[in-house]
Amino acid sequence: MVEKTLAIIKPNAVRNGVAGKILAMWEEAEFSIRALKRVQLTQVQAAGFYAEHEGKPFFGGLLEFMTSGPVVLVVLEKENAILDNRTIMGATNPDNAAEGTIRKLYADSFTENAVHGSDSPTSAAREVSYFFNVFELTA
Ligand code: CMP
């Protein structure tokens, strides 16, 4: 099934100047870039996005990091986009990420792990519509 998934190029990757290299990896893997924007998230926006992690010990550090600089928000589309993006991103903890994955190449730590990708169809629908309106998805 053709799916959309929400990806984020996180502040460490933007700061490190590898946003373009990450976008190229998605294109080489035949994802279509359906929407894209660079923004600096506010604390409120980041807290809403990561609401499921509220109360966890790493929540404060996660918000501090995600608001520390600009991110690039991307809607990717292809057959099985949600799972295929999880594969190309690699494990959340870069110590466990497979060779050749985005996180193996560009993560700096568990928190500064370069990219986010939706983990299920339900999350993808919520996350895409959290950041993009219908007019931004029609091109
Ligand atoms: P991501 O899955 O993109 O979104 C939630 C983030 O929280 C996750 O990436 C990690 O960067 C971070 N995270 C999850 N669990 C931990 C943890 N135990 N310690 C530090 N950071 C974590």
Side-chain angles (χ1 to χ4, degrees):
M1 195 177 66
V2 175
E3 297 172 332
K4 289 184 179 62
T5 189
L6 190 278
I8 304 178
I9 303 176
K10 295 188 180 184
N12 68 307
V14 174
R15 259 194 296 277
N16 292 340
V18 296
K21 289 193 163 75
I22 293 171
L23 289 170
M25 287 178 74
W26 281 318
E27 289 198 319
E28 278 156 23
E30 298 186 350
F31 288 87
S32 165
I33 295 171
R34 288 295 313 273
L36 176 143
K37 58 188 166 190
R38 171 178 153 132
V39 298
Q40 182 146 2
L41 298 178
T42 65
Q43 288 275 328
V44 169
Q45 286 171 325
F49 183 74
Y50 284 118
E52 69 182 288
H53 296 302
E54 202 175 338
K56 294 185 185 166
F58 58 86
F59 188 65
L62 178 62
L63 294 197
E64 189 180 337
F65 165 58
M66 288 301 292
T67 58
S68 68
V71 298
V72 179
L73 306 170
V74 191
V75 179
L76 298 171
E77 186 178 82
K78 80 189 272 297
E79 278 284 321
N80 298 317
I82 297 165
L83 256 182
D84 285 2
N85 187 37
R86 303 287 292 180
T87 303
I88 194 177
M89 287 196 309
T92 306
N93 183 344
D95 291 342
N96 303 327
E99 287 298 328
T101 60
I102 295 172
R103 283 170 169 157
K104 182 71 178 181
L105 288 165
Y106 300 123
D108 295 308
S109 69
F110 199 159
T111 298
E112 303 203 10
N113 62 357
V115 281
H116 167 86
S118 308
D119 65 4
S120 68
T122 305
S123 302
R126 182 186 82 85
E127 293 176 1
V128 167
S129 63
Y130 190 81
F131 287 122
F132 292 90
N133 69 44
V134 66
F135 303 106
E136 296 171 304
L137 292 165
T138 50

